[in-house]
Amino acid sequence: ADHQWKALRVRIGMLGTGYFLFLIFTHFVFASDFALALVAGWKDAIFPMYHGLTALQAGVATTIVATYFVRRLGRLERYIGINQFWPLAKLQLALSLLWFYFFFSAFIVFWYGRTVVGGQVIELLVSGPYWWAFLAAFCLNFLIPMWTLMWNRVRVSIVGPTVIAGAIILGTLIDRIRIYAAAWSTEGINDEILRE
């Protein structure tokens, strides 16, 4: 009956909202406990949201890649076409632009602050031993998706968004290595930072 369908839609909406809130909360806890808390002086209110946003970006990329393989291997070309890839590619472009926005919003606070601890956080995560990981994540999560998905010829295709999605998944993996390997490698350094 109609009232049953309405009740089902309401409950699905409530479940989806709860799932999304718990997703963001989980990334907040992970980012705060396993990265921020381990680096003395790394006080960043934006980083947990950056962590959650990059997870959403990688999730959309995984959906694009999985849809491509289901389409190819399941021989579902008749049912899965450009109408499924095009909206996901637009969402991927928006998430790639937000990747830079959240990164730059966090970075600019440390850079303009010019404190000793802020400089050490920048050196640890951006310009120090993990500069290669930052550069790879910057290119794979922001630069390449932005410069390719903004063109209709690439965005309104099936192979283009899939290749870019694969690059984003690799970039997110490298970004997580950069964040967590850097945070977990500061065991003896934290005491020196706190003394300064």
Side-chain angles (χ1 to χ4, degrees):
D2 283 342
H3 71 280
Q4 291 173 324
W5 281 108
K6 288 177 187 175
L8 179 67
R9 285 191 199 102
V10 167
R11 287 177 177 84
I12 288 174
M14 289 169 35
L15 182 66
T17 303
Y19 175 80
F20 183 74
L21 290 175
F22 275 109
L23 173 80
I24 297 302
F25 176 74
T26 303
H27 280 281
F28 174 80
V29 170
F30 260 81
S32 300
D33 204 24
F34 295 127
L36 285 173
L38 298 177
V39 179
W42 188 10
K43 296 176 180 72
D44 189 355
I46 297 170
F47 177 72
M49 286 311 299
Y50 166 83
H51 197 276
L53 174 87
T54 56
L56 289 174
Q57 184 186 27
V60 171
T62 304
T63 302
I64 292 172
V65 170
T67 304
Y68 177 79
F69 282 116
V70 165
R71 179 182 189 273
R72 288 290 291 220
L73 300 176
R75 296 188 179 104
L76 297 172
E77 289 88 359
R78 237 172 67 182
Y79 304 104
I80 301 174
I82 196 65
N83 291 334
Q84 285 73 35
F85 285 90
W86 189 14
L88 287 172
K90 288 190 278 188
L91 182 59
Q92 196 69 274
L93 176 62
L95 290 171
S96 297
L97 294 172
L98 282 172
W99 184 96
F100 180 75
Y101 173 77
F102 277 100
F103 166 75
F104 190 71
S105 295
F107 174 79
I108 201 78
V109 172
F110 292 111
W111 189 68
Y112 267 122
R114 301 281 187 203
T115 62
V116 174
V117 174
Q120 289 170 339
V121 169
I122 288 175
E123 184 179 346
L124 179 68
L125 296 171
V126 176
S127 64
Y130 296 99
W131 66 268
W132 60 271
F134 167 72
L135 192 61
F138 181 79
C139 290
L140 294 172
N141 283 32
F142 168 65
L143 207 58
I144 293 172
M146 184 194 69
W147 283 107
T148 54
L149 290 176
M150 69 185 215
W151 302 104
N152 278 337
R153 184 172 288 171
V154 176
R155 192 174 61 245
V156 186
S157 69
I158 293 173
V159 176
T162 305
V163 170
I164 300 304
I168 288 172
I169 292 169
L170 178 63
T172 304
L173 173 66
I174 293 170
D175 193 42
R176 293 300 189 258
I177 291 170
R178 171 185 73 97
I179 291 166
Y180 291 107
W184 284 77
S185 66
T186 61
E187 185 178 346
I189 302 170
N190 284 339
D191 297 331
E192 297 172 20
I193 292 173
L194 290 174
R195 277 188 220 121
E196 294 176 2

